[in-house]
Amino acid sequence: MNRRAALLALLSATVAACAPTTRAKIGPDGLPLPQIYRIAPDGQDPVMFHFLDGMNALRKAAGVAAVAYNAQLNAAAATHSRDMAIQNRPWHFGSDGSSPLERARRVGFPGRIMGENISETYETELQTLAAWMQQEDTRSVVLDPSVTVIGFAWYQEPAGKIWWTLVTGR
């Protein structure tokens, strides 16, 4: 019986090794071209949960308290993500010159804005969070111990580019 199980395992491994593999397409610079990460309209909840879980895991590892979503800050982040796409540039000011503080006030957030991270990418929410952790200025926004609430949102263009916004507050 053990012999039959071993033979079956060997056969399964052989068949698995024959499965086709997909290779990343390589650009003229020799680096892999970005893969489009599509967020389905009904796939928003998993993205939100993945990001919050990832951010809180990083905060816990740094000895910082967990954060929670704030609906008003989520709305401010969504507005800014769409506005950056319209402007076709990642920056902290709205097309009307608004700052993160002004956008939070517009949606009725009564607290204090502590920071904002933005990104223009084809990467997932966790890859974007990891990229923010690699830079001191954006890492400090993620790990700020005075932050208690966050807003997180994105806008995905039809071609696949994603404009991410994280707003932190207390």
Side-chain angles (χ1 to χ4, degrees), residues 7-146:
L7 183 58
L8 185 59
L10 180 62
L11 181 61
S12 295
T14 303
V15 169
C18 294
T21 59
T22 58
R23 292 184 165 222
K25 294 181 181 177
I26 304 299
D29 59 359
L31 296 174
L33 293 172
Q35 300 293 314
I36 295 178
Y37 173 62
R38 291 266 180 215
I39 303 172
D42 62 346
Q44 293 181 3
D45 285 347
V47 171
M48 296 295 285
F49 291 129
H50 291 156
F51 183 84
L52 185 63
D53 289 348
M55 183 166 172
N56 280 331
L58 292 167
R59 289 176 65 84
K60 182 178 181 180
V64 181
V67 295
Y69 280 125
N70 175 279
Q72 294 158 322
L73 292 182
N74 284 343
T79 299
H80 191 56
S81 292
R82 181 176 288 273
D83 192 41
M84 286 190 298
I86 291 168
Q87 295 179 71
N88 197 31
R89 64 178 171 179
W91 73 323
H92 294 283
F93 295 97
S95 56
D96 61 355
S98 62
S99 69
L101 176 63
E102 291 167 310
R103 290 189 297 275
R105 284 187 181 150
R106 285 180 189 163
V107 295
F109 180 67
R112 183 173 176 194
I113 295 300
M114 304 306 294
E116 180 180 71
N117 282 349
I118 57 174
S119 181
E120 165 196 17
T121 185
Y122 290 89
E123 295 178 329
T124 70
E125 62 279 3
L126 295 180
Q127 290 170 319
T128 300
L129 180 59
W132 287 338
M133 290 300 290
Q134 292 178 13
Q135 300 293 323
E136 185 177 341
D137 58 341
T138 52
R139 180 176 53 248
S140 68
V141 171
V142 172
L143 299 179
D144 183 344
S146 66

